[in-house]
Amino acid sequence: MHEESELVTGEAVVLDLRVAKLASRALAMVLDVLVQFALLLGAFFVLTLTVPGEDASLALTLILVFVVLILVGYPVLFETLSRGRSLGKMAVGLRVVRVDGGPIRFRHALTRGLAGFVIDFWALGVFGAVAVIVSLCSSDGRRVGDFLAGTLVVRERAPESAGYPVIGMPPGLEGWAAQLDLTRLPDDLALASRQFLGRFGQLAPEASHALGWKLAQQVGNALGTPVPNGVPPWAFLAAVLAERRNRDHARAVRAYSAQVAAARGRLPAGPSPWSDQPASAQLGSMATGGQPFVAGPSPWSAAAAGPGSAPAPGSAPAPGTAAEGDAPTPPSGTPVPPAENPFTPPS
């Protein structure tokens, strides 16, 4: 049973963060201190070889400079470059974040580093006694540097597999997604949407609803299309990412087919394998002279799925079927929503 933070953002959304307690933070600190001790030994060894022995004032000055640089500069440098992780935190699986859940910047790392050197650990901290007492008194395990910088140390969830879960196309959105211009979707926004869908079941309902609408609006603005009426944000994001993956796969297949045909001296004619056409229009044969094959009827087409399925683009809807602008049929097991639209943006 892990501890969750009780932090609330300005939008009244409770953050679902796994707070790092004293034991894990102490282990990360011990690892960082060992690294700093090794750096200090290396610095002292270099000073003994380069500084004359009779110049004691110069040697003392350089020793103080190296001590401050290593004890303060080490955590500041690593937490700034790695967005909140020192070597010890990387090994334990911890990260420093802002109290609103965002990544820290240089000013946050510098405040934590200076407070750690002066108050929490070394100068006035009695070798970490102040940090331990303050952390035990805090419900989120924060030390003085965290309070001054407005930060929080959280535990990162280890991935269960090397890749992201496969995102399927929501039923009823195939034809709509095939008309999108996905070249305008930034890679970082697509990655953020994929991470959101991967953690959708782990977030609190309020947080997932607010974050889903925020990402859906950003993706819609990038693509120049709004979220369809009656479609929840997770289905909108899943349709965009599934279509993007299918098009990437189709381009890879066509590129490989072109390489095979070129190697055999039969370069196929036709559209470029790197075009951004819908995935269903790009699939070709792997090594049959470059002639595209015709896929069979889709199991999600109106003919295969039966009554209630979305009609093919350009065709009139069959009697008793949903119109093009209607909301898609929810997956199996999903409760049927009431007559009013339940997927309203957060107020």
PDB file of all heavy atoms in Angstrom, residues 97-119:
ATOM      1  N   VAL A  97      10.005  16.579  -8.111  1.00  0.00           N
ATOM      2  CA  VAL A  97       9.051  17.292  -8.948  1.00  0.00           C
ATOM      3  C   VAL A  97       8.553  18.513  -8.186  1.00  0.00           C
ATOM      4  O   VAL A  97       8.748  18.630  -6.972  1.00  0.00           O
ATOM      5  CB  VAL A  97       7.853  16.407  -9.357  1.00  0.00           C
ATOM      6  CG1 VAL A  97       8.322  15.219 -10.174  1.00  0.00           C
ATOM      7  CG2 VAL A  97       7.094  15.935  -8.120  1.00  0.00           C
ATOM      8  N   ARG A  98       7.932  19.422  -8.904  1.00  0.00           N
ATOM      9  CA  ARG A  98       7.291  20.556  -8.259  1.00  0.00           C
ATOM     10  C   ARG A  98       6.048  20.086  -7.514  1.00  0.00           C
ATOM     11  O   ARG A  98       5.525  18.992  -7.771  1.00  0.00           O
ATOM     12  CB  ARG A  98       6.921  21.636  -9.274  1.00  0.00           C
ATOM     13  CG  ARG A  98       8.095  22.190 -10.059  1.00  0.00           C
ATOM     14  CD  ARG A  98       7.686  23.500 -10.718  1.00  0.00           C
ATOM     15  NE  ARG A  98       6.472  23.345 -11.505  1.00  0.00           N
ATOM     16  CZ  ARG A  98       6.424  23.165 -12.811  1.00  0.00           C
ATOM     17  NH1 ARG A  98       7.559  23.080 -13.487  1.00  0.00           N
ATOM     18  NH2 ARG A  98       5.266  23.068 -13.451  1.00  0.00           N
ATOM     19  N   VAL A  99       5.540  20.923  -6.624  1.00  0.00           N
ATOM     20  CA  VAL A  99       4.369  20.531  -5.851  1.00  0.00           C
ATOM     21  C   VAL A  99       3.133  20.406  -6.728  1.00  0.00           C
ATOM     22  O   VAL A  99       2.147  19.771  -6.327  1.00  0.00           O
ATOM     23  CB  VAL A  99       4.104  21.540  -4.717  1.00  0.00           C
ATOM     24  CG1 VAL A  99       5.188  21.459  -3.663  1.00  0.00           C
ATOM     25  CG2 VAL A  99       3.993  22.966  -5.263  1.00  0.00           C
ATOM     26  N   ASP A 100       3.153  21.001  -7.941  1.00  0.00           N
ATOM     27  CA  ASP A 100       2.036  20.831  -8.867  1.00  0.00           C
ATOM     28  C   ASP A 100       2.241  19.656  -9.807  1.00  0.00           C
ATOM     29  O   ASP A 100       1.458  19.459 -10.732  1.00  0.00           O
ATOM     30  CB  ASP A 100       1.809  22.112  -9.678  1.00  0.00           C
ATOM     31  CG  ASP A 100       3.036  22.513 -10.494  1.00  0.00           C
ATOM     32  OD1 ASP A 100       4.076  21.834 -10.380  1.00  0.00           O
ATOM     33  OD2 ASP A 100       2.951  23.502 -11.248  1.00  0.00           O
ATOM     34  N   GLY A 101       3.302  18.862  -9.585  1.00  0.00           N
ATOM     35  CA  GLY A 101       3.554  17.680 -10.396  1.00  0.00           C
ATOM     36  C   GLY A 101       4.435  17.911 -11.596  1.00  0.00           C
ATOM     37  O   GLY A 101       4.779  16.954 -12.283  1.00  0.00           O
ATOM     38  N   GLY A 102       4.821  19.147 -11.897  1.00  0.00           N
ATOM     39  CA  GLY A 102       5.647  19.434 -13.060  1.00  0.00           C
ATOM     40  C   GLY A 102       7.127  19.209 -12.796  1.00  0.00           C
ATOM     41  O   GLY A 102       7.563  19.052 -11.645  1.00  0.00           O
ATOM     42  N   PRO A 103       7.943  19.187 -13.852  1.00  0.00           N
ATOM     43  CA  PRO A 103       9.387  18.984 -13.677  1.00  0.00           C
ATOM     44  C   PRO A 103      10.050  20.221 -13.084  1.00  0.00           C
ATOM     45  O   PRO A 103       9.607  21.349 -13.296  1.00  0.00           O
ATOM     46  CB  PRO A 103       9.877  18.710 -15.101  1.00  0.00           C
ATOM     47  CG  PRO A 103       8.890  19.418 -15.975  1.00  0.00           C
ATOM     48  CD  PRO A 103       7.567  19.314 -15.271  1.00  0.00           C
ATOM     49  N   ILE A 104      11.120  20.008 -12.333  1.00  0.00           N
ATOM     50  CA  ILE A 104      11.834  21.115 -11.716  1.00  0.00           C
ATOM     51  C   ILE A 104      12.780  21.747 -12.722  1.00  0.00           C
ATOM     52  O   ILE A 104      13.103  21.165 -13.762  1.00  0.00           O
ATOM     53  CB  ILE A 104      12.613  20.652 -10.469  1.00  0.00           C
ATOM     54  CG1 ILE A 104      13.748  19.696 -10.872  1.00  0.00           C
ATOM     55  CG2 ILE A 104      11.695  20.005  -9.466  1.00  0.00           C
ATOM     56  CD1 ILE A 104      14.683  19.371  -9.728  1.00  0.00           C
ATOM     57  N   ARG A 105      13.223  22.946 -12.399  1.00  0.00           N
ATOM     58  CA  ARG A 105      14.183  23.675 -13.220  1.00  0.00           C
ATOM     59  C   ARG A 105      15.408  24.017 -12.384  1.00  0.00           C
ATOM     60  O   ARG A 105      15.542  23.575 -11.238  1.00  0.00           O
ATOM     61  CB  ARG A 105      13.534  24.928 -13.811  1.00  0.00           C
ATOM     62  CG  ARG A 105      12.370  24.608 -14.743  1.00  0.00           C
ATOM     63  CD  ARG A 105      11.810  25.866 -15.377  1.00  0.00           C
ATOM     64  NE  ARG A 105      10.714  25.565 -16.287  1.00  0.00           N
ATOM     65  CZ  ARG A 105      10.039  26.476 -16.976  1.00  0.00           C
ATOM     66  NH1 ARG A 105      10.356  27.768 -16.853  1.00  0.00           N
ATOM     67  NH2 ARG A 105       9.057  26.113 -17.776  1.00  0.00           N
ATOM     68  N   PHE A 106      16.278  24.845 -12.969  1.00  0.00           N
ATOM     69  CA  PHE A 106      17.548  25.136 -12.304  1.00  0.00           C
ATOM     70  C   PHE A 106      17.326  25.838 -10.972  1.00  0.00           C
ATOM     71  O   PHE A 106      18.018  25.550  -9.988  1.00  0.00           O
ATOM     72  CB  PHE A 106      18.421  26.001 -13.221  1.00  0.00           C
ATOM     73  CG  PHE A 106      19.674  26.500 -12.562  1.00  0.00           C
ATOM     74  CD1 PHE A 106      20.739  25.650 -12.316  1.00  0.00           C
ATOM     75  CD2 PHE A 106      19.779  27.828 -12.163  1.00  0.00           C
ATOM     76  CE1 PHE A 106      21.892  26.106 -11.696  1.00  0.00           C
ATOM     77  CE2 PHE A 106      20.928  28.288 -11.551  1.00  0.00           C
ATOM     78  CZ  PHE A 106      21.991  27.431 -11.319  1.00  0.00           C
ATOM     79  N   ARG A 107      16.372  26.761 -10.911  1.00  0.00           N
ATOM     80  CA  ARG A 107      16.169  27.497  -9.666  1.00  0.00           C
ATOM     81  C   ARG A 107      15.692  26.586  -8.539  1.00  0.00           C
ATOM     82  O   ARG A 107      16.054  26.792  -7.374  1.00  0.00           O
ATOM     83  CB  ARG A 107      15.188  28.645  -9.893  1.00  0.00           C
ATOM     84  CG  ARG A 107      13.772  28.220 -10.247  1.00  0.00           C
ATOM     85  CD  ARG A 107      12.876  29.441 -10.366  1.00  0.00           C
ATOM     86  NE  ARG A 107      11.487  29.097 -10.648  1.00  0.00           N
ATOM     87  CZ  ARG A 107      10.991  28.956 -11.851  1.00  0.00           C
ATOM     88  NH1 ARG A 107      11.787  29.122 -12.913  1.00  0.00           N
ATOM     89  NH2 ARG A 107       9.716  28.652 -12.030  1.00  0.00           N
ATOM     90  N   HIS A 108      14.890  25.583  -8.872  1.00  0.00           N
ATOM     91  CA  HIS A 108      14.455  24.640  -7.838  1.00  0.00           C
ATOM     92  C   HIS A 108      15.629  23.791  -7.357  1.00  0.00           C
ATOM     93  O   HIS A 108      15.799  23.578  -6.143  1.00  0.00           O
ATOM     94  CB  HIS A 108      13.356  23.736  -8.377  1.00  0.00           C
ATOM     95  CG  HIS A 108      12.180  24.475  -8.941  1.00  0.00           C
ATOM     96  ND1 HIS A 108      12.036  24.709 -10.287  1.00  0.00           N
ATOM     97  CD2 HIS A 108      11.095  25.026  -8.338  1.00  0.00           C
ATOM     98  CE1 HIS A 108      10.907  25.363 -10.493  1.00  0.00           C
ATOM     99  NE2 HIS A 108      10.322  25.586  -9.340  1.00  0.00           N
ATOM    100  N   ALA A 109      16.443  23.298  -8.297  1.00  0.00           N
ATOM    101  CA  ALA A 109      17.593  22.474  -7.915  1.00  0.00           C
ATOM    102  C   ALA A 109      18.614  23.289  -7.130  1.00  0.00           C
ATOM    103  O   ALA A 109      19.216  22.787  -6.165  1.00  0.00           O
ATOM    104  CB  ALA A 109      18.242  21.872  -9.169  1.00  0.00           C
ATOM    105  N   LEU A 110      18.818  24.556  -7.520  1.00  0.00           N
ATOM    106  CA  LEU A 110      19.776  25.391  -6.792  1.00  0.00           C
ATOM    107  C   LEU A 110      19.285  25.672  -5.377  1.00  0.00           C
ATOM    108  O   LEU A 110      20.077  25.623  -4.413  1.00  0.00           O
ATOM    109  CB  LEU A 110      19.999  26.702  -7.546  1.00  0.00           C
ATOM    110  CG  LEU A 110      20.990  27.686  -6.927  1.00  0.00           C
ATOM    111  CD1 LEU A 110      22.368  27.061  -6.820  1.00  0.00           C
ATOM    112  CD2 LEU A 110      21.049  28.984  -7.728  1.00  0.00           C
ATOM    113  N   THR A 111      18.012  25.957  -5.202  1.00  0.00           N
ATOM    114  CA  THR A 111      17.476  26.199  -3.863  1.00  0.00           C
ATOM    115  C   THR A 111      17.603  24.961  -2.989  1.00  0.00           C
ATOM    116  O   THR A 111      17.998  25.045  -1.811  1.00  0.00           O
ATOM    117  CB  THR A 111      16.002  26.626  -3.958  1.00  0.00           C
ATOM    118  OG1 THR A 111      15.897  27.790  -4.788  1.00  0.00           O
ATOM    119  CG2 THR A 111      15.440  26.936  -2.587  1.00  0.00           C
ATOM    120  N   ARG A 112      17.291  23.790  -3.547  1.00  0.00           N
ATOM    121  CA  ARG A 112      17.422  22.560  -2.775  1.00  0.00           C
ATOM    122  C   ARG A 112      18.888  22.281  -2.434  1.00  0.00           C
ATOM    123  O   ARG A 112      19.201  21.826  -1.321  1.00  0.00           O
ATOM    124  CB  ARG A 112      16.853  21.372  -3.543  1.00  0.00           C
ATOM    125  CG  ARG A 112      15.361  21.465  -3.795  1.00  0.00           C
ATOM    126  CD  ARG A 112      14.833  20.207  -4.476  1.00  0.00           C
ATOM    127  NE  ARG A 112      14.688  19.101  -3.530  1.00  0.00           N
ATOM    128  CZ  ARG A 112      15.510  18.084  -3.445  1.00  0.00           C
ATOM    129  NH1 ARG A 112      16.572  18.009  -4.236  1.00  0.00           N
ATOM    130  NH2 ARG A 112      15.295  17.120  -2.572  1.00  0.00           N
ATOM    131  N   GLY A 113      19.796  22.529  -3.381  1.00  0.00           N
ATOM    132  CA  GLY A 113      21.206  22.270  -3.129  1.00  0.00           C
ATOM    133  C   GLY A 113      21.786  23.179  -2.058  1.00  0.00           C
ATOM    134  O   GLY A 113      22.515  22.720  -1.161  1.00  0.00           O
ATOM    135  N   LEU A 114      21.460  24.478  -2.115  1.00  0.00           N
ATOM    136  CA  LEU A 114      21.972  25.405  -1.108  1.00  0.00           C
ATOM    137  C   LEU A 114      21.370  25.111   0.262  1.00  0.00           C
ATOM    138  O   LEU A 114      22.074  25.146   1.288  1.00  0.00           O
ATOM    139  CB  LEU A 114      21.667  26.842  -1.535  1.00  0.00           C
ATOM    140  CG  LEU A 114      22.419  27.352  -2.776  1.00  0.00           C
ATOM    141  CD1 LEU A 114      21.955  28.753  -3.145  1.00  0.00           C
ATOM    142  CD2 LEU A 114      23.926  27.326  -2.542  1.00  0.00           C
ATOM    143  N   ALA A 115      20.057  24.847   0.295  1.00  0.00           N
ATOM    144  CA  ALA A 115      19.429  24.523   1.577  1.00  0.00           C
ATOM    145  C   ALA A 115      19.964  23.214   2.139  1.00  0.00           C
ATOM    146  O   ALA A 115      20.130  23.068   3.361  1.00  0.00           O
ATOM    147  CB  ALA A 115      17.913  24.450   1.411  1.00  0.00           C
ATOM    148  N   GLY A 116      20.240  22.253   1.273  1.00  0.00           N
ATOM    149  CA  GLY A 116      20.800  20.999   1.758  1.00  0.00           C
ATOM    150  C   GLY A 116      22.185  21.165   2.336  1.00  0.00           C
ATOM    151  O   GLY A 116      22.540  20.521   3.331  1.00  0.00           O
ATOM    152  N   PHE A 117      22.995  22.046   1.741  1.00  0.00           N
ATOM    153  CA  PHE A 117      24.359  22.258   2.245  1.00  0.00           C
ATOM    154  C   PHE A 117      24.362  23.051   3.544  1.00  0.00           C
ATOM    155  O   PHE A 117      25.107  22.722   4.469  1.00  0.00           O
ATOM    156  CB  PHE A 117      25.182  22.987   1.178  1.00  0.00           C
ATOM    157  CG  PHE A 117      26.588  23.296   1.611  1.00  0.00           C
ATOM    158  CD1 PHE A 117      27.566  22.314   1.611  1.00  0.00           C
ATOM    159  CD2 PHE A 117      26.929  24.568   2.038  1.00  0.00           C
ATOM    160  CE1 PHE A 117      28.860  22.597   2.036  1.00  0.00           C
ATOM    161  CE2 PHE A 117      28.220  24.868   2.447  1.00  0.00           C
ATOM    162  CZ  PHE A 117      29.187  23.880   2.450  1.00  0.00           C
ATOM    163  N   VAL A 118      23.510  24.089   3.631  1.00  0.00           N
ATOM    164  CA  VAL A 118      23.556  24.989   4.784  1.00  0.00           C
ATOM    165  C   VAL A 118      22.696  24.474   5.940  1.00  0.00           C
ATOM    166  O   VAL A 118      23.138  24.478   7.099  1.00  0.00           O
ATOM    167  CB  VAL A 118      23.109  26.413   4.367  1.00  0.00           C
ATOM    168  CG1 VAL A 118      23.090  27.338   5.577  1.00  0.00           C
ATOM    169  CG2 VAL A 118      24.025  26.952   3.284  1.00  0.00           C
ATOM    170  N   ILE A 119      21.447  24.026   5.646  1.00  0.00           N
ATOM    171  CA  ILE A 119      20.482  23.741   6.710  1.00  0.00           C
ATOM    172  C   ILE A 119      20.274  22.246   6.927  1.00  0.00           C
ATOM    173  O   ILE A 119      20.311  21.756   8.063  1.00  0.00           O
ATOM    174  CB  ILE A 119      19.126  24.417   6.398  1.00  0.00           C
ATOM    175  CG1 ILE A 119      19.327  25.922   6.212  1.00  0.00           C
ATOM    176  CG2 ILE A 119      18.119  24.144   7.502  1.00  0.00           C
ATOM    177  CD1 ILE A 119      18.068  26.651   5.796  1.00  0.00           C
TER     178      ILE A 119
END
